[in-house]
């Protein structure tokens, strides 16, 4: 497995793969890899001949009071997992290789970024779009795989890639859950044993909404109340609950199968997100 720190080395590798007739896949990550990430690698392999992973805790997508400093960084473990997963190349740049001190350009997607996490975390999706655009330019993938767990992020990146004519196919892979239903996330590492139990309220809230819709409750306000009640029962503090159309992320007043229920909630100091296609 190749490990590159310099953008030019990563790009040369990608170009050499393409020159050899291979399709290059990319899984962008912030490290602290778990089974969810490895499922993205497996998905990338289905769509490409050479799989690359990027590991970069991107400072520009964290707000001033967010967890950038304490975000778990476990490079050697991540590299071992990538090796075991048969990844061909890892791009792991130092921050200064990604952002020059005089950098003054960013990428903003305006529509899909506006609500949900975008409303709660101003500037977050600008940071995500900027770094993903840079990673696309550096790694030059033919296909890039993102997790459905970050439903809004995947939609925003798909739009960004289309608007900016990136020749990159965007693939979304299903959420990977712990046996008890908690969606896998690097941030789960922050949870204490008690919080880990409380955190189950997030996936249970989504399940309650799905069950209620299946039982005939389609009023979105009622479904959101059901989710909020479930979060409260588990001692979680909601950032938002929402039911939206999957392509536009517009809130619906009457939910239908295929709409998406989303939750962001604080479990102690840890912000968890999850979603479910109803
Ligand atoms: O989903 C993530 O881990 C990050 O937002 C991403 C896409 C790697 C950009 O930093």
């Amino acid at each position: 497995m190749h490990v590159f720190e310099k953008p030019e080395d990563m790009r040369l590798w990608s170009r050499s793969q393409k020159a050899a007739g291979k399709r290059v896949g990319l899984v962008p990550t912030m490290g602290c890899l778990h089974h969810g990430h490895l499922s993205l690698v497996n998905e990338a392999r289905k769509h490409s001949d050479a799989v690359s992973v990027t590991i970069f805790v991107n400072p520009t997508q964290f707000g001033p009071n967010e967890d950038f400093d304490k975000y778990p960084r476990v490079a050697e473990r991540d590299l071992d997992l990538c090796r075991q997963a048969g990844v061909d190349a890892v791009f792991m740049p130092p921050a200064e290789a990604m952002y020059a001190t005089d950098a003054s350009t960013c990428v903003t997607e305006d529509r899909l970024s506006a609500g949900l996490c975008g409303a709660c975390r101003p500037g977050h999706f600008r940071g995500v779009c900027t770094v993903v655009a840079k990673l696309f330019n550096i790694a030059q993938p033919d296909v890039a795989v993102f997790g459905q767990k970050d439903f809004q992020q995947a939609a925003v990146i798909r739009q960004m890639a289309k608007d900016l004519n990136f020749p990159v196919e965007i693939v979304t892979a299903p959420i990977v859950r712990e046996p008890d239903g908690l969606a896998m996330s690097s941030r789960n590492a922050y949870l204490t044993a008690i919080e880990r139990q409380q955190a189950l309220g997030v996936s249970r809230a989504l399940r309650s909404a799905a069950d209620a819709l299946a039982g005939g409750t389609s009023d979105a306000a009622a479904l959101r109340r059901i989710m909020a009640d479930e979060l409260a029962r588990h001692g979680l503090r909601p950032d938002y609950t929402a039911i939206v159309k999957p392509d536009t992320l517009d809130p619906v007043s009457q939910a239908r199968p295929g709409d998406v229920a989303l939750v962001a909630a604080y479990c102690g100091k840890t912000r968890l997100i999850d979603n479910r296609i109803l």
Side-chain angles (χ1 to χ4, degrees), residues 81-134:
L81 286 173
C82 286
R83 258 181 224 108
Q84 285 163 29
V87 169
D88 298 286
V90 173
F91 178 53
M92 225 165 101
E96 57 275 19
M98 289 299 281
Y99 293 108
T101 47
D102 65 347
S104 57
T105 305
C106 61
V107 179
T108 310
E109 188 286 325
D110 272 336
R111 185 162 28 85
L112 300 170
S113 302
L116 305 170
C117 288
C120 304
R121 304 180 67 190
H124 170 68
F125 287 116
R126 186 180 51 220
V128 169
C129 282
T130 302
V131 81
V132 171
K134 288 166 73 70

Coordinates of all heavy atoms in Angstrom, one line a residue, residues 81-134:
L81 N -5.6 -0.7 9.2 CA -6.9 -1.1 8.8 C -7.0 -1.0 7.3 O -7.6 -1.8 6.6 CB -8.0 -0.2 9.4 CG -8.3 -0.5 10.9 CD1 -9.2 0.5 11.5 CD2 -8.9 -2.0 11.0
C82 N -6.4 0.1 6.7 CA -6.4 0.2 5.3 C -5.7 -0.9 4.6 O -6.1 -1.4 3.6 CB -5.8 1.6 4.9 SG -6.9 3.0 5.2
R83 N -4.5 -1.3 5.2 CA -3.7 -2.4 4.6 C -4.6 -3.6 4.6 O -4.7 -4.3 3.6 CB -2.5 -2.6 5.4 CG -1.3 -2.0 4.8 CD 0.0 -2.3 5.6 NE 0.8 -1.0 5.6 CZ 0.9 -0.2 6.7 NH1 0.3 -0.6 7.9 NH2 1.6 0.9 6.6
Q84 N -5.2 -3.9 5.8 CA -6.0 -5.1 5.9 C -7.2 -5.1 4.9 O -7.6 -6.2 4.4 CB -6.6 -5.3 7.3 CG -5.6 -5.7 8.3 CD -6.1 -5.4 9.7 OE1 -7.3 -5.4 10.0 NE2 -5.1 -5.2 10.6
A85 N -7.7 -3.9 4.6 CA -8.9 -3.8 3.7 C -8.4 -3.8 2.2 O -9.3 -3.8 1.3 CB -9.6 -2.6 4.0
G86 N -7.1 -3.9 2.0 CA -6.7 -4.0 0.6 C -6.7 -2.7 -0.1 O -6.7 -2.7 -1.4
V87 N -6.6 -1.6 0.6 CA -6.5 -0.3 0.0 C -5.2 -0.2 -0.8 O -4.2 -0.6 -0.3 CB -6.6 0.8 1.1 CG1 -6.3 2.2 0.5 CG2 -8.0 0.8 1.7
D88 N -5.2 0.5 -1.9 CA -4.0 0.6 -2.8 C -3.2 1.8 -2.4 O -2.0 1.7 -2.4 CB -4.4 0.7 -4.2 CG -5.1 -0.6 -4.7 OD1 -4.4 -1.6 -4.8 OD2 -6.4 -0.6 -4.8
A89 N -3.8 2.9 -2.0 CA -3.1 4.1 -1.7 C -3.8 5.0 -0.7 O -5.0 5.1 -0.7 CB -2.8 5.0 -3.0
V90 N -3.0 5.5 0.2 CA -3.6 6.4 1.3 C -3.0 7.8 1.1 O -1.7 7.9 1.0 CB -3.4 5.9 2.7 CG1 -3.8 6.9 3.7 CG2 -4.1 4.6 2.9
F91 N -3.8 8.8 1.1 CA -3.3 10.2 1.0 C -3.5 10.8 2.4 O -4.7 10.8 2.9 CB -4.0 11.0 0.0 CG -3.6 12.4 -0.1 CD1 -2.2 12.8 -0.2 CD2 -4.5 13.4 0.0 CE1 -1.9 14.1 -0.3 CE2 -4.2 14.8 -0.1 CZ -2.8 15.1 -0.2
M92 N -2.4 11.2 3.1 CA -2.5 11.6 4.5 C -1.7 12.9 4.6 O -0.6 12.8 5.2 CB -1.9 10.5 5.3 CG -2.6 10.1 6.5 SD -2.0 8.5 7.2 CE -1.0 9.1 8.4
P93 N -2.2 14.0 4.2 CA -1.4 15.2 4.1 C -1.3 15.9 5.5 O -2.3 15.8 6.2 CB -2.1 16.1 3.1 CG -3.6 15.7 3.3 CD -3.5 14.2 3.6
P94 N -0.2 16.6 5.7 CA -0.2 17.5 6.9 C -1.0 18.7 6.5 O -1.2 19.0 5.3 CB 1.3 17.9 7.0 CG 1.9 17.6 5.7 CD 1.1 16.5 5.0
A95 N -1.6 19.4 7.5 CA -2.5 20.5 7.2 C -1.9 21.5 6.3 O -2.5 22.1 5.4 CB -2.9 21.2 8.5
E96 N -0.5 21.8 6.4 CA 0.1 22.8 5.6 C 0.2 22.4 4.1 O 0.3 23.3 3.3 CB 1.4 23.3 6.2 CG 2.5 22.2 6.3 CD 2.3 21.4 7.7 OE1 1.3 21.5 8.3 OE2 3.3 20.7 8.1
A97 N 0.1 21.1 3.8 CA 0.1 20.7 2.4 C -1.3 20.9 1.8 O -1.4 21.0 0.6 CB 0.4 19.2 2.3
M98 N -2.3 21.1 2.6 CA -3.7 21.3 2.1 C -4.0 22.8 2.1 O -4.7 23.2 1.1 CB -4.7 20.5 3.0 CG -4.6 19.0 2.8 SD -5.0 18.5 1.1 CE -6.8 18.6 1.1
Y99 N -3.6 23.5 3.1 CA -4.0 24.9 3.1 C -2.8 25.8 3.3 O -2.2 25.8 4.4 CB -5.0 25.2 4.3 CG -6.3 24.5 4.2 CD1 -6.7 23.4 4.9 CD2 -7.3 24.9 3.2 CE1 -7.9 22.7 4.8 CE2 -8.5 24.3 3.1 CZ -8.8 23.2 3.8 OH -10.0 22.6 3.7
A100 N -2.5 26.5 2.2 CA -1.4 27.5 2.3 C -1.8 28.6 3.2 O -3.0 28.9 3.3 CB -1.0 28.0 0.9
T101 N -0.9 29.3 3.8 CA -1.3 30.4 4.7 C -2.0 31.5 4.0 O -2.7 32.3 4.6 CB 0.0 31.0 5.5 OG1 1.0 31.2 4.5 CG2 0.5 30.0 6.5
D102 N -1.7 31.7 2.7 CA -2.4 32.7 1.9 C -3.6 32.3 1.1 O -4.1 33.0 0.3 CB -1.4 33.4 1.0 CG -0.9 32.5 -0.1 OD1 -1.1 31.2 0.0 OD2 -0.3 32.9 -1.1
A103 N -4.1 31.1 1.5 CA -5.2 30.5 0.7 C -6.4 31.5 0.9 O -6.7 31.9 2.0 CB -5.6 29.1 1.2
S104 N -7.1 31.8 -0.2 CA -8.2 32.7 -0.1 C -9.4 32.3 -1.0 O -10.2 33.1 -1.4 CB -7.8 34.1 -0.5 OG -7.2 34.1 -1.8
T105 N -9.5 31.0 -1.3 CA -10.6 30.5 -2.2 C -11.3 29.4 -1.4 O -10.7 28.6 -0.8 CB -10.0 29.9 -3.5 OG1 -9.2 30.9 -4.1 CG2 -11.1 29.5 -4.4
C106 N -12.7 29.5 -1.5 CA -13.4 28.3 -0.9 C -14.6 28.0 -1.9 O -14.9 28.8 -2.8 CB -13.9 28.6 0.5 SG -14.9 30.0 0.6
V107 N -15.2 26.9 -1.6 CA -16.3 26.4 -2.5 C -17.6 26.4 -1.6 O -17.6 25.8 -0.5 CB -16.1 25.0 -3.0 CG1 -17.2 24.5 -3.8 CG2 -14.8 25.0 -3.8
T108 N -18.6 27.1 -2.1 CA -19.9 27.1 -1.3 C -21.0 26.6 -2.2 O -21.2 27.1 -3.3 CB -20.2 28.6 -0.9 OG1 -19.1 29.2 -0.3 CG2 -21.4 28.7 0.0
E109 N -21.7 25.7 -1.6 CA -23.0 25.2 -2.2 C -24.1 25.9 -1.4 O -24.1 25.8 -0.2 CB -23.1 23.7 -2.2 CG -24.2 23.0 -2.9 CD -25.6 23.2 -2.2 OE1 -25.6 23.2 -1.0 OE2 -26.6 23.4 -3.0
D110 N -25.0 26.6 -2.1 CA -25.9 27.5 -1.4 C -27.2 26.9 -1.0 O -27.8 27.3 0.0 CB -26.2 28.7 -2.2 CG -25.1 29.8 -2.0 OD1 -24.5 29.8 -0.9 OD2 -24.9 30.6 -2.9
R111 N -27.8 25.9 -1.8 CA -29.1 25.5 -1.6 C -29.3 24.4 -0.6 O -29.9 24.5 0.5 CB -29.8 25.2 -2.9 CG -31.3 24.8 -2.9 CD -31.9 24.9 -4.2 NE -31.0 24.6 -5.3 CZ -30.7 23.4 -5.7 NH1 -31.3 22.3 -5.2 NH2 -29.9 23.2 -6.7
L112 N -28.7 23.2 -0.9 CA -28.8 22.1 0.0 C -28.1 22.2 1.3 O -28.4 21.5 2.3 CB -28.3 20.8 -0.8 CG -29.0 20.5 -2.1 CD1 -28.2 19.4 -2.9 CD2 -30.4 20.1 -1.9
S113 N -27.1 23.1 1.3 CA -26.4 23.4 2.6 C -27.1 24.2 3.6 O -26.6 24.4 4.7 CB -25.1 24.1 2.3 OG -24.3 23.4 1.4
A114 N -28.2 24.9 3.1 CA -28.8 25.9 3.9 C -29.4 25.4 5.2 O -29.3 26.1 6.3 CB -29.8 26.7 3.1
G115 N -30.1 24.3 5.2 CA -30.9 23.8 6.4 C -30.2 22.8 7.2 O -28.9 22.6 7.0
L116 N -30.9 22.1 8.0 CA -30.4 21.0 8.8 C -29.0 21.3 9.4 O -28.9 22.3 10.2 CB -30.3 19.7 7.9 CG -31.7 19.4 7.2 CD1 -31.5 18.3 6.1 CD2 -32.7 18.9 8.2
C117 N -28.0 20.4 9.2 CA -26.7 20.7 9.8 C -26.1 22.0 9.4 O -25.4 22.6 10.1 CB -25.7 19.5 9.5 SG -26.1 18.0 10.3
G118 N -26.4 22.4 8.1 CA -25.9 23.7 7.7 C -26.4 24.9 8.5 O -25.6 25.8 8.7
A119 N -27.6 24.8 9.0 CA -28.2 25.9 9.8 C -27.6 25.8 11.2 O -27.4 26.9 11.8 CB -29.7 25.7 9.9
C120 N -27.3 24.6 11.7 CA -26.8 24.5 13.1 C -25.3 24.7 13.1 O -24.7 25.0 14.1 CB -27.1 23.1 13.6 SG -28.8 22.6 13.6
R121 N -24.6 24.5 12.0 CA -23.1 24.5 11.9 C -22.7 25.5 10.8 O -22.2 25.0 9.8 CB -22.5 23.1 11.7 CG -23.0 22.1 12.8 CD -22.3 20.8 12.5 NE -20.9 20.8 12.7 CZ -20.0 19.8 12.3 NH1 -20.5 18.7 11.8 NH2 -18.7 19.9 12.6
P122 N -22.8 26.8 11.0 CA -22.5 27.7 9.9 C -21.1 27.5 9.4 O -20.2 27.4 10.2 CB -22.7 29.1 10.6 CG -23.4 28.9 11.9 CD -23.2 27.5 12.3
G123 N -21.0 27.5 8.1 CA -19.6 27.3 7.5 C -19.2 25.9 7.3 O -18.2 25.6 6.7
H124 N -19.9 25.0 8.0 CA -19.5 23.6 7.9 C -19.4 23.0 6.5 O -18.4 22.5 6.1 CB -20.4 22.7 8.8 CG -20.2 21.2 8.6 ND1 -19.1 20.6 9.0 CD2 -21.0 20.3 8.0 CE1 -19.2 19.3 8.7 NE2 -20.4 19.1 8.1
F125 N -20.5 23.2 5.7 CA -20.5 22.6 4.4 C -19.6 23.4 3.4 O -19.1 22.8 2.4 CB -21.9 22.5 3.8 CG -22.7 21.4 4.5 CD1 -23.8 21.7 5.3 CD2 -22.2 20.1 4.4 CE1 -24.5 20.6 5.9 CE2 -22.9 19.1 5.0 CZ -24.0 19.3 5.8
R126 N -19.3 24.7 3.7 CA -18.3 25.4 2.9 C -16.9 24.7 3.1 O -16.2 24.4 2.2 CB -18.2 26.8 3.3 CG -17.3 27.6 2.4 CD -17.2 29.1 2.8 NE -16.9 29.2 4.2 CZ -17.5 30.1 5.0 NH1 -18.4 31.0 4.6 NH2 -17.1 30.1 6.3
G127 N -16.6 24.3 4.4 CA -15.4 23.6 4.6 C -15.3 22.3 4.0 O -14.3 21.8 3.4
V128 N -16.5 21.5 4.0 CA -16.6 20.2 3.4 C -16.4 20.3 1.9 O -15.6 19.6 1.3 CB -17.9 19.5 3.8 CG1 -18.1 18.3 2.9 CG2 -18.0 19.2 5.2
C129 N -17.1 21.2 1.3 CA -17.1 21.4 -0.2 C -15.7 21.8 -0.6 O -15.1 21.3 -1.6 CB -18.1 22.4 -0.7 SG -19.7 21.8 -0.8
T130 N -15.1 22.7 0.1 CA -13.7 23.1 -0.3 C -12.7 22.0 -0.2 O -12.0 21.8 -1.1 CB -13.3 24.3 0.7 OG1 -14.3 25.3 0.6 CG2 -11.9 24.8 0.3
V131 N -12.7 21.2 0.9 CA -11.7 20.2 1.0 C -12.0 19.0 0.0 O -11.1 18.5 -0.5 CB -11.6 19.7 2.5 CG1 -12.7 18.7 2.8 CG2 -10.2 19.0 2.7
V132 N -13.3 18.7 -0.2 CA -13.6 17.6 -1.1 C -13.2 18.1 -2.5 O -12.7 17.2 -3.3 CB -15.1 17.2 -1.0 CG1 -15.5 16.2 -2.1 CG2 -15.3 16.5 0.4
A133 N -13.5 19.3 -2.9 CA -13.1 19.8 -4.2 C -11.5 19.7 -4.4 O -11.0 19.2 -5.4 CB -13.5 21.2 -4.4
K134 N -10.8 20.0 -3.3 CA -9.4 19.9 -3.4 C -8.9 18.5 -3.5 O -8.0 18.1 -4.2 CB -8.8 20.6 -2.1 CG -8.8 22.1 -2.1 CD -8.5 22.7 -0.7 CE -7.1 22.6 -0.4 NZ -6.2 23.5 -1.1

